[in-house]
């Protein structure tokens, strides 16, 4: 069964550094999402992407964040200058046209020191 | 504002007994409701959804959920719990503001289910 994959599973970085979190959505899906979950807190929506552009973003998704679908298969989240409070589990999800389920990857745990 | 509440941080149930994990929601229109499960060190797995139609929705692994519009609830149920059902369960609702291609989900805090042998 096709799955969403994410790499790396764990990323440790120093404050101020740039990180890129990578996702490979399910191949025929058209909707793509990033969510994050700070330890002990709710899953929070960051951004959705459809038709090669951002369709929705949250207040969390400020100028430090960007997303890209560079080659038709990968979907990346970049944080330009990481802050301590960016430490969280980041989940990528994808969804197919005509359905509202979102299929999640296993997550990348980002630790900013 | 649209929101989801899971009033119980933890639910404990004996194996073989029925289980219920509660969820209530607040949305401005007709809700699109979802349950996801998260096993340790794994991603969020889709269990079931309610969009329209029959109020009792059946999903994966023998789970079902009942949509109750008057009580604005969408409780997750299973007639006979298994130890392997022990996991974190999340209720979510589709954000209905700025519809169209907006499909973002609003999440509850999660309920930890422990099924004891």
């Amino acid at each position: 069964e096709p799955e969403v994959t994410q790499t790396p599973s764990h990323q440790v970085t120093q404050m101020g550094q740039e990180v890129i979190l990578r996702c490979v959505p399910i191949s025929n899906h058209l909707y793509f999402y990033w969510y994050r979950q700070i330890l002990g807190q709710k899953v929070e929506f960051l951004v959705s992407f459809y038709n090669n552009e951002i369709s929705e973003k949250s207040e969390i998704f400020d100028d430090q964040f960007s997303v890209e679908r560079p080659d038709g298969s990968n979907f990346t989240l970049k944080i330009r200058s990481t802050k301590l409070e960016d430490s969280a589990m980041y989940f990528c999800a994808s969804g197919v046209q005509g359905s509202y389920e979102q299929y999640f990857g296993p997550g990348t745990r980002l630790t900013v020191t | 504002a649209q929101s989801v509440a899971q009033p119980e941080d933890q639910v404990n149930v004996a194996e073989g007994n029925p289980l219920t994990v509660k969820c209530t929601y607040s949305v401005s229109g007709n809700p699109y409701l979802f349950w996801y499960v998260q096993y340790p060190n794994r991603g969020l797995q889709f269990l079931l959804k309610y969009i329209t139609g029959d109020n009792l929705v059946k999903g994966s692994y023998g789970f079902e959920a009942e949509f109750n519009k008057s009580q604005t609830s969408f409780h997750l149920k299973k007639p006979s719990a298994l130890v392997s059902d022990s996991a974190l369960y999340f209720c979510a609702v589709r954000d209905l503001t700025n519809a169209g291609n907006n499909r973002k989900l609003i999440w509850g805090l999660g309920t930890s289910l422990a099924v004891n042998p």
Side-chain angles (χ1 to χ4, degrees):
Chain A
E1 188 172 329
E3 290 181 336
V4 176
T5 59
Q6 290 185 243
T7 54
S9 56
H10 191 189
Q11 173 90 48
V12 181
T13 189
Q14 288 189 327
M15 194 169 51
Q17 295 297 303
E18 175 183 285
V19 293
I20 297 176
L21 310 183
R22 301 181 192 280
C23 169
V24 179
I26 296 172
S27 62
N28 63 334
H29 286 189
L30 299 177
Y31 295 85
F32 312 106
Y33 310 84
W34 282 100
Y35 292 85
R36 78 173 186 190
Q37 184 182 28
I38 296 172
L39 188 64
Q41 297 187 23
K42 285 188 179 188
V43 176
E44 299 174 293
F45 169 78
L46 292 178
V47 65
S48 59
F49 193 87
Y50 171 73
N51 201 24
N52 288 317
E53 61 183 16
I54 290 173
S55 51
E56 178 90 9
K57 59 183 181 179
S58 71
E59 315 81 58
I60 303 167
F61 195 89
D62 61 21
D63 292 345
Q64 293 301 309
F65 290 84
S66 62
V67 289
E68 198 175 33
R69 190 158 158 79
D71 56 12
S73 62
N74 292 285
F75 180 52
T76 61
L77 174 70
K78 181 193 290 187
I79 309 175
R80 288 190 184 81
S81 178
T82 51
K83 303 188 283 285
L84 293 175
E85 53 265 37
D86 292 329
S87 295
M89 182 72 91
Y90 287 79
F91 292 106
C92 171
S94 66
V96 69
Q97 183 84 21
S99 175
Y100 291 99
E101 292 105 282
Q102 296 177 20
Y103 294 87
F104 285 76
T108 293
R109 179 166 297 285
L110 176 65
T111 302
V112 182
T113 62
Chain B
Q2 302 185 93
S3 64
V4 173
Q6 292 181 244
E8 302 154 317
D9 291 334
Q10 178 140 353
V11 170
N12 294 297
V13 64
E15 187 174 31
N17 282 1
L19 69 87
T20 299
V21 182
K22 295 179 181 177
C23 172
T24 58
Y25 63 88
S26 173
V27 297
S28 53
N30 292 321
Y32 292 13
L33 294 154
F34 303 82
W35 275 102
Y36 283 80
V37 60
Q38 186 178 30
Y39 297 100
N41 301 315
R42 301 282 298 276
L44 295 152
Q45 294 180 36
F46 170 77
L47 273 181
L48 51 77
K49 70 175 187 276
Y50 172 83
I51 305 295
T52 186
D54 196 348
N55 288 344
L56 185 64
V57 178
K58 294 189 184 296
S60 307
Y61 313 121
F63 283 93
E64 57 191 28
E66 186 166 11
F67 170 64
N68 187 316
K69 188 171 184 177
S70 62
Q71 297 185 5
T72 63
S73 67
F74 189 56
H75 300 333
L76 181 71
K77 300 181 180 186
K78 186 172 182 179
S80 178
L82 300 172
V83 172
S84 56
D85 292 329
S86 299
L88 197 54
Y89 289 81
F90 290 93
C91 182
V93 65
R94 180 194 170 203
D95 184 357
L96 294 175
T97 57
N98 306 314
N101 286 323
N102 173 16
R103 296 176 171 213
K104 74 179 188 188
L105 296 178
I106 298 169
W107 298 80
L109 268 172
T111 298
S112 178
L113 173 67
V115 181
N116 307 306

